[in-house]
Amino acid sequence: MNGFVMAPLHNEEGRHDATGAFHIGAKAFSKLHGLPAPVFFENEGRSSKVYTAFLKHIEASAGGWDVFAYFGHGDRTCLPSADIYNRAGAQLLANTIRPKATPGLVILLYACNTGEPGGFASWLADERADGGASVYAHGPPPGHTFQNANVVMYPGGDWVIQQGSEHWRD
């Protein structure tokens, strides 16, 4: 498998989010799947500088990806750690990923609430429909970046593991 894994470089003020969760998850994911080391993008300043740097890392990569994984903060309409907001931001991200992806790309958003119906993950799947991409993202309620069983897949918006399933705790 070939892929690209990203996470924010710095902790948010007063938190241990990047180094205490996002880096750990991104490194473990890369190691488990034999992928290159994760790229840690500059996330201080929350401005166009942040999303420009985020997108430039993608543009500079070799491409040929089967998977793209993002570990960072998320919400229904955004990837705030990367300063990517609303449907236009999803379209921008999809257009940046497009030339790097193989058909059937799997996009994984280890980011809270991005899987809510009608939100960021569904928009990203809509934008990547031409390449047959599947987008997996955290649905509500929010939870730990890589220990959250609330995962939804788009297109479709189906739960990966139904709540209440015997496999839910696994």
Side-chain angles (χ1 to χ4, degrees), residues 13 16 25 28 30 49 68 75 86 115 126 144 149 154 162 167:
E13 189 173 331
H16 193 57
S30 291
K49 177 180 144 188
F68 172 82
D75 206 342
N86 61 44
D126 290 347
H144 188 275
Y154 290 96
Q162 293 297 318
H167 302 292

Side-chain angles (χ1 to χ4, degrees), residues 16-69:
H16 193 57
D17 49 358
T19 58
F22 304 143
H23 292 190
I24 294 166
K27 288 175 183 177
F29 184 86
S30 291
K31 183 177 179 182
L32 178 68
H33 296 288
L35 299 173
V39 170
F40 299 121
F41 61 90
E42 181 60 55
N43 63 310
E44 288 188 326
R46 291 281 169 83
S47 66
S48 61
K49 177 180 144 188
V50 173
Y51 84 78
T52 300
F54 176 79
L55 297 174
K56 283 189 179 198
H57 282 295
I58 295 170
E59 291 168 348
S61 75
W65 307 339
D66 303 305
V67 64
F68 172 82

Side-chain angles (χ1 to χ4, degrees), residues 118-140:
F120 198 86
S122 67
W123 299 336
L124 195 55
D126 290 347
E127 295 298 330
R128 288 291 304 137
D130 63 322
S134 298
V135 180
Y136 294 82
H138 290 167

